[in-house]
């Protein structure tokens, strides 16, 4: 038997796909990347914006082609859209056999392997398993590693913030934290398999706490694991960048000089309406702490344009904030109302065209800033983690600097997982080009 997994959305879904893969393999199932030979199709989905759901539904519908060709194939939808749409998904795509929410993955083997009753005869309610489970932290589980170089490790699930636009708290449930010893166990196992870069994950990852540790303490512990050379984290919330955390981020060599700090909007009025719990000034103070110490510190962000009630002045405040912040890169989105959220109750005034136009203006501004920030790197020598050969030229390699920039360089001896020093020569497109130097 073979399984195929299609993953959408954030890194937390990537990690969860690794959990599902491990459970399938423990039950004797092998992975495949070719849908034509799969018996189990997993669609690990995202609900963050309407488009994310529509993309996944279109793909699942398309994949029914394989299901029609052979008997016994099962379609399982997991992830946030499973929780959000539940039975409505099966109404839209009849071929779906099971809908399993983010707290229910441990039931997958039982559901797939221990029921003699043909799926078709089972009632719909038995096929929709999406209840929240406050206790479920997947303790003791080890997610399958997707690359032998760099690994994601989830340390926090759910979210308590209830930003007014966001569906995550409704599809992932309240915040819960994995205990530190289980985190260290998984990091150690990954390191033993050759992973040297770890990214700790949570929707407000820096809010992490256990009975005796906060996020900064856990970062320290992870960076002390033998074989771990780089530590990153995603996605932090501005409110939880404490003095202690910033001090540790700036002082521990294994922690990469890159912070993702989601801005969402540059207007205090909109930040308040979004329930982001900070002002623009407080946000800028955090950036200053990093760039004051290291002007090359990598800073990235998320921004939403056309949020409900966003006036022209609010949008202009966002553009100004982006100019002031000089982010290295940004993920930028047009606001998408999500069912059940506070802001979805308000009628939108802006047309889709206007929202799109604002997004394009912002993207153009940020693209120029990204280019300028990358050009500043020319002449520096940076440590690069080698990831893979370039797809365009087999003598070239793709890697990442500590401050999270992609770099391409030529080498006859590099291999994935190596750390090499690279002199940065130029910027082509947005990408750094470098030459390896002797370490
Ligand atoms: N927990 C993270 C965000 C996770 S979602 C945080 O608080 O920063 C990733 C990004 O998607 C968000 O930062 C936001 O910019 C965007 N996003 C979330 N909901 C959205 C919506 N309804 N419409 C458009 N973008 C949205
Ligand atoms: Fe969504 Fe806000 Fe939670 Fe991030 S912090 S996941 S944006 S509710
Ligand atoms: Fe999407 Fe769920 Fe992540 S909504 S962004 S997959 S937590």
């Amino acid at each position: 038997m073979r399984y195929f997994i299609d993953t959408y959305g954030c890194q937390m879904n990537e990690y969860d796909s690794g959990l599902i893969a491990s459970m399938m393999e423990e039950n004797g199932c092998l992975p495949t990347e070719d849908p034509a030979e799969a018996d189990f199709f997993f669609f690990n989905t995202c609900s963050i914006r309407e488009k994310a759901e529509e993309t996944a539904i279109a793909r699942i519908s398309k994949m029914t082609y394989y299901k029609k060709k052979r008997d016994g194939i099962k379609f399982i939808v997991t992830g946030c859209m499973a929780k959000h749409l539940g039975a409505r998904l099966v109404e839209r795509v009849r071929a779906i056999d099971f809908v399993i929410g983010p707290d229910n993955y441990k039931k997958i083997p039982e559901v797939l392997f221990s029921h003699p009753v043909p799926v078709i005869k089972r009632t719909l309610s038995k096929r929709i398993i999406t209840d929240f489970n406050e206790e479920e932290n997947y303790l003791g589980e080890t997610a399958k590693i997707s690359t032998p170089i760099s690994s994601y490790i989830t340390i926090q699930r759910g979210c308590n913030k209830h930003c007014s636009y966001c569906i995550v708290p409704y599809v992932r449930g309240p915040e819960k934290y994995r205990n530190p010893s289980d985190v260290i166990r998984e990091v150690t196992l990954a390191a033993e398999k050759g992973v040297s870069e770890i990214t700790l994950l949570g929707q407000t990852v820096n809010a992490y706490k256990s009975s005796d540790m906060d996020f900064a303490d856990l970062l320290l512990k992870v960076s002390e694991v033998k074989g771990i050379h780089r530590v990153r984290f995603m996605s932090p919330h501005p409110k939880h960048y404490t003095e202690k955390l910033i001090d540790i981020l700036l002082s521990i060599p294994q922690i990469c000089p890159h912070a993702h700090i989601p801005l969402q909007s540059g207007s205090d009025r909109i930040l308040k309406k979004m329930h982001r719990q900070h002002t623009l000034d407080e946000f800028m103070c955090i950036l200053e702490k990093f760039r004051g110490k290291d002007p090359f510190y990598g800073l990235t962000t998320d921004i939403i344009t056309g949020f409900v009630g966003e006036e022209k002045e609010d949008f202009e405040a966002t553009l100004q904030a982006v100019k002031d912040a000089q982010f290295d890169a940004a993920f930028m989105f047009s606001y998408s109302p999500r069912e059940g959220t506070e802001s979805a109750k308000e009628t939108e005034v802006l047309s889709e065209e206007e929202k799109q136009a604002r997004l394009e203006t912002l993207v153009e501004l940020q693209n120029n800033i990204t280019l300028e920030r990358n050009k500043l790197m020319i002449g520096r020598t940076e440590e690069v983690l080698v990831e893979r050969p370039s797809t365009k030229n087999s003598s070239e390699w793709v890697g990442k600097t500590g401050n999270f920039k992609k770099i391409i360089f030529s080498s006859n001896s590099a291999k994935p997982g190596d750390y090499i020093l690279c002199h940065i020569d130029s910027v082509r497109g947005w990408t750094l080009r470098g030459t390896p130097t002797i370490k």
Side-chain angles (χ1 to χ4, degrees):
M1 297 283 231
R2 291 189 182 265
Y3 70 91
F4 169 90
I5 308 188
D6 215 1
T7 307
Y8 302 82
C10 63
Q11 294 99 328
M12 302 191 63
N13 259 12
E14 300 263 344
Y15 175 83
D16 284 353
S17 289
L19 280 179
I20 294 169
S22 287
M23 290 173 200
M24 293 302 283
E25 289 177 27
E26 275 160 26
N27 282 277
C29 220
L30 297 171
T32 178
E33 287 182 11
D34 177 4
E37 56 177 35
D39 304 285
F40 300 103
F41 285 66
F42 289 91
F43 302 94
N44 197 9
T45 58
C46 172
S47 292
I48 202 81
R49 284 165 290 276
E50 171 124 35
K51 194 160 168 264
E53 291 194 342
E54 290 309 321
T55 308
I57 290 174
R59 170 95 164 145
I60 302 168
S61 306
K62 209 168 160 205
M63 294 291 239
T64 55
Y65 162 84
Y66 295 101
K67 200 169 175 179
K68 285 182 196 135
K69 280 179 74 170
R70 189 152 45 89
D71 283 344
I73 289 177
K74 304 227 182 341
F75 273 23
I76 307 110
V77 180
T78 57
C80 297
M81 187 172 71
K83 176 67 186 168
H84 176 217
L85 295 179
R88 282 185 282 170
L89 265 175
V90 184
E91 281 158 24
R92 281 193 65 176
V93 187
R94 291 270 155 206
I96 296 171
D97 296 287
F98 295 103
V99 178
I100 302 186
D103 281 350
N104 309 96
Y105 298 151
K106 276 193 194 152
K107 296 199 179 123
I108 288 173
E110 180 196 326
V111 161
L112 296 183
F113 302 116
S114 61
H115 279 282
V117 191
V119 167
I120 203 79
K121 294 209 179 114
R122 265 191 257 164
T123 57
L124 189 61
S125 65
K126 289 232 172 68
R127 293 156 50 198
I128 314 292
I129 306 169
T130 58
D131 286 345
F132 283 142
N133 175 357
E134 273 175 47
E135 305 296 313
E136 188 54 273
N137 261 318
Y138 296 98
L139 288 185
E141 300 290 330
T142 307
K144 185 178 175 185
I145 287 172
S146 54
T147 80
I149 300 162
S150 179
S151 243
Y152 295 130
I153 305 242
T154 294
I155 62 166
Q156 177 217 38
R157 304 183 77 89
C159 181
N160 287 346
K161 287 284 185 287
H162 288 274
C163 300
S164 57
Y165 50 83
C166 184
I167 199 169
V168 169
Y170 305 93
V171 291
R172 290 267 174 180
E175 246 164 63
K176 46 195 179 177
Y177 311 101
R178 192 165 165 194
N179 74 40
S181 58
D182 203 47
V183 174
I184 298 300
R185 176 192 62 83
E186 198 172 9
V187 173
T188 310
L189 279 174
E192 283 165 7
K193 287 184 187 148
V195 167
S196 68
E197 180 181 71
I198 291 287
T199 306
L200 300 179
L201 300 179
Q203 282 299 356
T204 52
V205 71
N206 51 346
Y208 178 89
K209 54 180 186 279
S210 71
S211 57
D212 57 349
M213 272 195 202
D214 62 14
F215 182 60
D217 300 326
L218 183 67
L219 273 177
L220 265 179
K221 277 259 170 273
V222 170
S223 61
E224 283 163 4
V225 171
K226 193 167 164 256
I228 296 304
H229 190 70
R230 280 187 172 182
V231 183
R232 302 184 181 276
F233 52 99
M234 205 58 147
S235 191
H237 189 285
K239 196 186 154 196
H240 301 283
Y241 270 102
T242 59
E243 289 286 334
K244 174 181 170 187
L245 176 60
I246 295 174
D247 280 350
I248 287 201
L249 295 178
L250 287 169
S251 59
I252 305 297
Q254 289 93 326
I255 303 176
C256 289
H258 165 229
H260 184 72
I261 317 183
L263 171 63
Q264 313 300 2
S265 167
S267 152
D268 279 339
R269 194 180 73 85
I270 295 294
L271 283 173
K272 196 160 180 203
K273 219 168 163 233
M274 289 175 160
H275 305 322
R276 286 297 288 180
Q277 307 183 21
H278 62 80
T279 61
L280 176 64
D281 195 55
E282 285 161 346
F283 182 92
M284 290 297 185
C285 285
I286 305 172
L287 301 197
E288 244 167 49
K289 286 184 187 141
F290 290 109
R291 289 265 172 88
K293 181 97 188 272
D294 173 5
F296 295 96
Y297 207 92
L299 293 176
T300 54
T301 199
D302 292 349
I303 299 172
I304 299 175
T305 62
F307 181 60
V308 68
E310 184 186 86
E311 303 283 350
K312 249 195 153 57
E313 306 82 77
D314 298 310
F315 178 59
E316 274 156 17
T318 298
L319 296 178
Q320 189 56 51
V322 165
K323 283 182 200 150
D324 294 341
Q326 294 288 302
F327 296 112
D328 292 279
F331 299 99
M332 296 160 278
F333 312 101
S334 169
Y335 169 63
S336 166
R338 304 310 289 131
E339 185 182 47
T341 61
E342 187 183 317
S343 62
K345 295 187 188 98
E346 260 185 82
T347 314
E348 291 189 88
V349 176
L350 293 177
S351 64
E352 275 311 310
E353 291 72 39
E354 178 58 25
K355 277 160 65 178
Q356 200 53 38
R358 287 187 188 180
L359 179 63
E360 281 163 23
T361 306
L362 176 67
V363 168
E364 198 188 325
L365 170 65
Q366 179 57 48
N367 280 348
N368 288 329
I369 295 172
T370 298
L371 182 62
E372 289 310 312
R373 289 280 311 161
N374 287 354
K375 282 187 185 160
L376 285 179
M377 299 286 290
I378 297 172
R380 285 173 65 84
T381 297
E382 291 280 327
E383 183 197 69
V384 172
L385 170 55
V386 182
E387 291 176 348
R388 57 178 173 84
S390 149
T391 38
K392 290 195 191 126
N393 180 341
S394 60
S395 68
E396 288 190 331
W397 292 85
V398 180
K400 281 251 169 50
T401 61
N403 65 356
F404 208 55
K405 290 182 187 284
K406 181 175 158 185
I407 177 162
I408 298 183
F409 59 93
S410 296
S411 169
N412 298 326
S413 57
K415 55 183 189 314
D418 282 355
Y419 287 88
I420 59 167
L421 285 178
C422 255
H423 178 269
I424 296 161
D425 308 317
S426 62
V427 173
R428 240 185 274 164
W430 280 275
T431 310
L432 306 182
R433 296 275 168 164
T435 313
T437 61
I438 308 297
K439 201 169 184 174

